[in-house]
Amino acid sequence: MPRLSAYLIVKNEIRDLPACLDSLRGVADELVIVDDESTDGTGALCRSRGAKVFSHKLEGFGSQKQYALERCTGTWVLSIDADERVTPELAKEIQGVIAQNTSVAGYDISRRMYFLGKRLRHGGVGTDWVMRLFRREKGRYLPLEIHEQVQIDGPTAKLNGPLDHFSYATLDEYLEKIPTYTALAARQRWQAGKRFSTWHHLRPAWELFSRVIVKGAWLDGQAGLIYAALSAHAAWLRSVKLWEIEQTTHE
């Protein structure tokens, strides 16, 4: 039985996957890829790297991650996205944890964000903690459409080594994905009982002030200011799409 299975959910990730898979070399004993009908050769690339590839249409990020998790066979599992990289420090730490056979059920990993090729250290996105390494039988995903969360049955701890997240290399890439993400987020908010308020039109101004002034996004230069402005716009889009759902529901 593999000691560690790394799993990814992907769609047309031919650009980012090579570096991601390279970072897993010597760390993962098994690679599990769940492909959402890619058309750019993603599946073939993964197979050439020895990965087990499963085709499955994305219906929600939480359910897609659970589908991938259920196809892993390792004692431990590592969830990673195509635009993320396991750093050498993190790789060494993961190997140590698994060798120790610790009683901890899962580990949060710190994630460093890069936007337009620059590391962002301020604006509320410098470092976040994500549950990514856990015992396979101790984790299960909530059925969320976006911002998936895994529940861990048992004690958790934190690792020191970082995971690098290269979120968007270009503005076009961001602008292409944001309509889908904001629509999913709005629908998830609706299902959670959230409703639109006229005050939400002020959200972009507050979001921009909070990120730039309070959290210091300006310290990251143009990349930090651009990300702060785009995030403010995305917050407003989520709100007006929530309003749109309300109008459609009431018709």
Side-chain angles (χ1 to χ4, degrees), residues 7 18 35 66 107 111 119 177 223 230 235 239-240:
Y7 61 97
D35 182 21
Q66 182 63 33
Y107 289 90
R111 187 168 57 166
R119 167 82 190 280
K177 292 183 178 181
L230 290 173
S239 295
V240 295

Side-chain angles (χ1 to χ4, degrees), residues 8 37 51 60 62 71 96 130 135 154 161 174 178 195 210 232 245 247 251:
L8 300 85
E37 302 178 352
R71 275 138 191 86
V130 287
R135 292 182 178 275
Y174 179 95
I178 202 62
R195 296 297 181 263
S210 175
I245 292 173
Q247 303 310 303
E251 286 180 358

